[in-house]
Amino acid sequence: MLRFDDLALRRGPLLLLEHVDLALHAGWRVGIVGRNGAGKSSLLGLIAGELQPDAGHFERPRDWTLAFVRQEVAALDRSALDYVLDGDIEFRQLERDLAKAEDEHDGHEIGTIHERLYAIDGYSAPARAGELMHGLGFSSADETRRVKDFSGGWRMRLNLAQALMCRSDLLLLDEPTNHLDLDAVVWLEGWLRRYQGTLLLISHDREFLDAVVTHVLNIADQKAELFAGDLTGFERKRAERLIQHQIQYEKQQRERAHLQQFVDRFRAQATKARQAQSRIKALERMVDIAPIRAASPISFEFREPKKLPQPLLVLDDVAAGYGERHVLDHIKLNLSPGDRVALLGANGAGKSTMIKLLAGVSSPLGGNRTQARDLAIGYFAQHQLEQLVPTATAVDHIKRLDESIGEKDARDFLGGFGFSGDRALEPVEPFSGGEKARLCLALTVFQRPNLLLLDEPTNHLDLDMREALAEALNDFTGALVLVAHDRSLIRTCCDTLLLVHDGCVE
């Protein structure tokens, strides 16, 4: 098991965890949840041996094989299949030992190695690696492609496949669905449910967690609390406990007020002085019950668009692609205020091509794209996080959109996105991925669009922010086109599904 005894963990001067006492048993699949910055990734770093506790003790069985997803991969000339096979360290070592034994004509050693290869199912290793790659969206032809020929997102999939290839006792996954499309997310769910080892998983995807985990570890206020069951069960238990806590707090406040009223009234009277003193001591002995904090500091809404023309945008027999290469053909779409559209399809099918066409970032290769004169597009895409000015503050970014806005109004607006206090006045360079995504979303909302185009908006966003986004989208009066692998967000916000596949949209 994994054991934490009175553990404290810091990241620089920031205290993340304190007095953590936990035991995570073999075979559990634990979902780690909490707000961005609470310390979830740092906890995985501690378990992986990359960080050391600042106080207390952490123990992991020495004979456990650990697997985790590397965050970077070099531009290698090796084939993708060979790279994935590297995840099975013992298999690779046996391959090297076998080659050496064959060179030395050591028949006994050759026989011993073949026995071990049989025991670990080594002869099927290439087939298993291919199955992993296929489940994560790679084609058969991709197996022989060089690693360096893949984009960053696809290399992250290779890293995930390599981690899954490892015959591990402990698997650590930090937001594994961020680079996956919906088909791959569903496949990964099934694979993790069959995983025999101990799994620690950070995710903000509600349906993914419900499908996979047996326990939930909630990190908040420097504490880590363990709950048995899935995420929905955890939230139900937590809500019941918070309600009970609030009832106790209000009861104590009434008792405190009653005692204080008696003390204030009779302290000066000699006949009541003893009773007043006993009540003062009762007040001193009373252990304070803290009031419940607001469930989430994040709450925002889309400001009413200045105009809502009908229709907003029309695509008539449009072709889309890059240069002269057609990715999509014969697209017909009419977007009006109130439309709620989700684009589904495998990575590479053309979803981003479609949304760039809608945004006007790319021009049609054929057909007609007709937009209303008063069309106001709000376009959110992951690349916008890289376009933030590192030395500028969140307030600075708002002022770039509207020079007339005052600092107080800008900070009030940003507060709804979780940038409270001085955080709105700090440079964005050290912001986490979640904070940068929230800021880009805030900038999109600030522009009062009547057509909202969101390309994977929930990557890096925690559960609180995802729920706030869903609520705001449902009140949005314009049209929405959404690309996401978060099924909960799609179910909550969209009523029209467009499947992008085989060069068409239907």
Side-chain angles (χ1 to χ4, degrees):
M1 71 172 69
L2 303 176
R3 183 178 293 279
F4 305 80
D5 294 314
D6 197 27
L7 184 135
L9 183 64
R10 291 180 179 272
R11 217 51 199 277
L14 183 63
L15 179 63
L16 299 174
L17 294 168
E18 188 177 28
H19 302 309
V20 174
D21 291 290
L22 282 175
L24 305 180
H25 292 267
W28 283 5
R29 298 193 300 272
V30 182
I32 303 175
V33 300
R35 292 176 186 160
N36 288 337
K40 303 184 296 297
S41 296
S42 295
L43 180 64
L44 286 195
L46 170 78
I47 294 168
E50 297 171 352
L51 299 175
Q52 296 299 318
D54 291 271
H57 180 68
F58 166 69
E59 184 177 345
R60 187 183 85 203
R62 292 183 179 180
D63 59 342
W64 276 17
T65 299
L66 170 68
F68 59 93
V69 179
R70 302 177 190 277
Q71 293 306 305
E72 295 181 359
V73 56
L76 303 173
D77 278 317
R78 312 187 63 219
S79 74
L81 184 65
D82 275 340
Y83 183 76
V84 173
L85 278 168
D86 289 344
D88 193 331
I89 297 171
E90 184 180 4
F91 169 73
R92 284 306 203 196
Q93 184 60 51
L94 288 171
E95 277 190 325
R96 290 189 290 269
D97 293 344
L98 181 60
K100 180 182 177 183
E102 288 175 342
D103 288 342
E104 296 174 352
H105 305 290
D106 187 340
H108 176 74
E109 182 66 12
I110 290 172
T112 301
I113 292 170
H114 277 293
E115 284 182 8
R116 183 57 187 165
L117 282 170
Y118 179 79
I120 68 170
D121 200 18
Y123 299 112
S124 69
R128 287 188 284 115
E131 289 176 7
L132 289 172
M133 292 181 66
H134 179 73
L136 292 173
F138 294 93
S139 67
S140 298
D142 288 331
E143 294 180 12
T144 56
R145 289 179 61 195
R146 297 175 300 179
V147 172
K148 70 179 184 181
D149 293 334
F150 291 94
S151 67
W154 284 97
R155 289 186 196 176
M156 289 304 299
R157 291 196 191 205
L158 287 175
N159 283 350
L160 176 57
Q162 189 185 78
L164 301 185
M165 187 66 193
C166 178
R167 291 174 296 103
S168 59
D169 301 291
L170 175 62
L171 177 59
L172 308 179
L173 296 179
D174 191 346
E175 293 284 6
T177 63
N178 272 359
H179 299 279
L180 303 183
D181 54 42
L182 197 50
D183 288 344
V185 170
V186 173
W187 175 87
L188 182 60
E189 271 182 13
W191 194 95
L192 292 177
R193 282 200 300 267
R194 297 189 299 272
Y195 177 63
Q196 297 298 306
T198 305
L199 170 67
L200 270 65
L201 165 69
I202 297 174
S203 178
H204 300 296
D205 186 324
R206 178 178 301 281
E207 295 200 21
F208 185 71
L209 285 169
D210 274 345
V212 170
V213 305
T214 60
H215 295 75
V216 172
L217 184 65
N218 182 51
I219 298 181
D221 302 322
Q222 291 87 47
K223 295 179 175 59
E225 293 185 278
L226 185 67
F227 296 80
D230 59 17
L231 179 66
T232 299
F234 152 69
E235 290 185 330
R236 186 180 299 115
K237 291 175 188 174
R238 182 176 64 168
E240 291 170 354
R241 192 176 67 174
L242 291 179
I243 291 170
Q244 188 60 38
H245 183 101
Q246 187 67 16
I247 291 172
Q248 292 173 350
Y249 168 74
E250 292 172 357
K251 178 182 177 182
Q252 185 186 71
Q253 293 303 103
R254 289 194 298 270
E255 291 175 356
R256 185 184 293 277
H258 180 72
L259 290 171
Q260 190 65 52
Q261 185 180 34
F262 185 94
V263 170
D264 293 342
R265 184 178 178 187
F266 295 114
R267 174 184 278 166
Q269 294 186 20
T271 56
K272 297 285 188 178
R274 181 175 295 178
Q275 290 144 299
Q277 285 299 317
S278 70
R279 282 161 174 78
I280 290 172
K281 290 179 180 178
L283 279 169
E284 292 172 348
R285 288 194 302 267
M286 192 175 287
V287 178
D288 279 346
I289 299 174
I292 294 297
R293 295 184 182 182
S296 171
I298 297 172
S299 176
F300 69 93
E301 60 184 19
F302 286 89
R303 298 189 294 173
E304 190 68 24
K306 294 178 180 178
K307 294 186 178 180
L308 286 170
Q310 176 90 17
L312 293 162
L313 182 64
V314 177
L315 302 181
D316 184 15
D317 199 29
V318 166
Y322 305 94
E324 296 183 357
R325 176 175 171 258
H326 285 215
V327 176
L328 302 170
D329 285 300
H330 307 300
I331 307 170
K332 291 182 179 291
L333 184 64
N334 187 320
L335 291 173
S336 298
D339 285 348
R340 296 290 186 270
V341 179
L343 296 183
L344 306 181
N347 277 10
K351 300 188 300 294
S352 291
T353 301
M354 176 71 174
I355 211 161
K356 286 176 182 176
L357 173 71
L358 295 173
V361 173
S362 60
S363 301
L365 301 183
N368 295 307
R369 176 188 181 277
T370 307
Q371 67 178 55
R373 185 177 64 181
D374 295 313
L375 178 69
I377 294 175
Y379 177 34
F380 175 96
Q382 291 299 310
H383 70 267
Q384 289 174 301
L385 276 65
E386 301 166 6
Q387 295 174 356
L388 294 172
V389 180
T391 56
T393 68
V395 169
D396 291 336
H397 282 87
I398 292 291
K399 287 188 172 182
R400 282 190 170 91
L401 298 176
D402 181 1
E403 295 180 355
S404 66
I405 191 171
E407 182 179 300
K408 182 181 183 304
D409 288 339
R411 292 180 70 175
D412 288 346
F413 174 79
L414 289 164
F417 292 83
F419 297 103
S420 56
D422 292 336
R423 195 60 171 166
L425 299 175
E426 296 173 4
V428 304
E429 186 171 22
F431 280 15
S432 67
E435 287 175 312
K436 289 178 180 177
R438 274 191 273 131
L439 177 56
C440 286
L441 193 58
L443 299 176
T444 303
V445 170
F446 186 78
Q447 297 175 72
R448 300 177 68 176
N450 50 32
L451 172 57
L452 193 58
L453 308 174
L454 303 180
D455 192 353
E456 295 290 3
T458 58
N459 282 359
H460 308 295
L461 297 184
D462 59 28
L463 283 166
D464 286 341
M465 187 64 200
R466 291 184 186 211
E467 291 177 3
L469 175 60
E471 291 177 8
L473 288 175
N474 282 330
D475 292 332
F476 177 56
T477 56
L480 165 69
V481 179
L482 171 69
V483 177
H485 58 254
D486 187 323
R487 285 159 292 173
S488 178
L489 186 66
I490 293 173
R491 288 189 219 277
T492 303
C493 299
C494 298
D495 52 28
T496 300
L497 306 179
L498 294 181
L499 180 62
V500 182
H501 72 110
D502 298 329
C504 66
V505 181
E506 60 180 2

